[in-house]
Amino acid sequence: MKWMARCIAAAILTWCLTVIGPTSVYALKCVQPTNIEESYAKYDAVVLGYVKQVQSERNGQRVDFQVMQSFKGMQPGAISLMDNWSDLLTNAPDEELYLLYLDNESGKWTHPTCSPSERADTAGEELTYLLSHKTTNAPDETIELNKGNTAGGIAWVIAASAGFIGSIIYLILLYRKPDL
């Protein structure tokens, strides 16, 4: 019976760490995330758009990016940028929107290592701030944010929870003592 209690405790701990675990992970160099005001002031451009194409190169990857809304530093349109650190843009789904913080190094756009770039569907507070402090002549039309994998994430949590509950019920039924 002690073995079953330990299995149940391990299953509960695993489930908690999987479903309720940390939502953000930062590289050691970037342990302290900056707030939105600091990030806005620090980077040369802040844009909202989607990845058109990613090409591997010797010193990283070249990303063709379609800027739909510019909050600082450039006009909407197609740009090319270098990204040598993140997987954020590597396998980007079609037309998934991203909020990117970019630097301009010798006339070339780069995606810096510690930039707080993220998918637009997780950047609610940042987008609210940026929309209220818009500085470029970007189009006034409203951009509908692509929810991306939100439904898939919810389905995954439901499936994991159902599997967890089913495992607990199975263990209880398997190891319970028969009534005498």
Side-chain angles (χ1 to χ4, degrees):
M1 199 62 164
K2 288 182 183 180
W3 180 82
M4 184 174 70
R6 288 182 185 154
C7 285
I8 291 172
I12 290 171
L13 179 62
T14 302
W15 181 80
C16 288
L17 290 174
T18 302
V19 175
I20 306 171
T23 57
S24 298
V25 178
Y26 300 98
L28 292 177
K29 183 177 177 184
C30 311
V31 172
Q32 296 295 330
T34 58
N35 66 36
I36 185 66
E37 293 89 4
E38 292 171 350
S39 296
Y40 185 81
K42 180 178 179 181
Y43 295 97
D44 297 326
V46 181
V47 297
L48 180 69
Y50 61 91
V51 174
K52 293 168 52 175
Q53 183 178 8
V54 177
Q55 296 176 348
S56 294
E57 292 190 356
R58 186 174 359 132
N59 58 344
Q61 57 189 7
R62 187 175 60 103
V63 178
D64 294 330
F65 193 79
Q66 180 64 41
V67 176
M68 296 177 65
Q69 177 84 38
S70 176
F71 303 105
K72 177 184 176 183
M74 69 176 65
Q75 294 295 321
I79 64 166
S80 183
L81 61 101
M82 287 303 297
D83 182 12
N84 60 1
W85 69 275
S86 85
D87 290 332
L88 178 69
L89 304 174
T90 302
N91 297 314
D94 289 342
E95 297 189 21
E96 177 82 40
L97 291 178
Y98 289 89
L99 177 64
L100 297 185
Y101 293 81
L102 304 172
D103 278 337
N104 192 338
E105 296 177 3
S106 303
K108 295 181 181 180
W109 292 108
T110 61
H111 189 216
T113 301
C114 293
S115 72
S117 299
E118 60 184 316
R119 287 187 0 215
D121 63 349
T122 61
E125 185 177 314
E126 289 85 357
L127 282 173
T128 302
Y129 173 85
L130 291 169
L131 288 169
S132 67
H133 292 84
K134 183 168 56 168
T135 60
T136 63
N137 295 328
D140 288 334
E141 64 224 30
T142 335
I143 297 172
E144 181 181 330
L145 295 181
N146 182 353
K147 294 297 182 193
N149 297 325
T150 305
I154 292 171
W156 183 86
V157 170
I158 291 170
S161 299
F164 171 72
I165 292 169
S167 299
I168 297 298
I169 291 172
Y170 174 76
L171 286 173
I172 290 171
L173 292 174
L174 185 65
Y175 290 103
R176 75 179 177 112
K177 292 184 180 180
D179 294 334
L180 297 175

